[in-house]
Amino acid sequence: MSSYIDAFLFPIAEEHLQEYQKVAEAVAAIWMEYGVQAYYEFVGDDLSLPGTKSFVEAAGLKENELVIFGWALFPSKDIREDANKKVPQDPRMSKLVGPLMQPESKVFDAGRMLFGGFKFLTGLTE
């Protein structure tokens, strides 16, 4: 299987969740136009397991922040690399994401985001 995913994790202030969700939904649609097969974002709910490092620790969560975890599934690493070049250049992205990343907005801090690309190892679906 040649599938490839980009995964990300970041904190967001609880007060900005609805604003972020609207942007994330629009951004997901753009990614789909550039070859993503599936795009999901989730809000942390049950984030600890005894004996493991939690997403709360990994994200450096502060008071009144939530953890967002997301992933985008690509048919291949080549399509992923092409999309990762083209999506940031799409003019809709700067209109959607640009305002969130301004220091005065305090909605999204890319410096606190964890990110990685992953190649397929194993998996099951129904």
Side-chain angles (χ1 to χ4, degrees), residues 31-53:
W31 278 101
M32 298 293 285
E33 291 177 26
Y34 288 91
V36 168
Q37 293 176 307
Y39 184 100
Y40 291 93
E41 291 194 38
F42 301 88
V43 178
D45 180 54
D46 183 8
L47 299 174
S48 64
L49 178 65
T52 68
K53 186 172 185 172

Side-chain angles (χ1 to χ4, degrees), residues 46-104:
D46 183 8
L47 299 174
S48 64
L49 178 65
T52 68
K53 186 172 185 172
S54 72
F55 280 136
V56 170
E57 294 171 282
L61 216 62
K62 298 176 185 173
E63 190 174 335
N64 298 318
E65 287 185 331
L66 303 167
V67 174
I68 301 291
F69 171 77
W71 55 273
L73 173 67
F74 298 88
S76 69
K77 187 175 182 181
D78 289 340
I79 292 171
R80 175 258 195 171
E81 289 176 352
D82 189 52
N84 279 340
K85 290 176 189 169
K86 291 179 179 176
V87 169
Q89 303 304 315
D90 188 300
R92 295 171 293 174
M93 289 296 288
S94 61
K95 289 179 184 172
L96 288 165
V97 178
L100 296 185
M101 297 183 74
Q102 298 303 314
E104 64 273 6

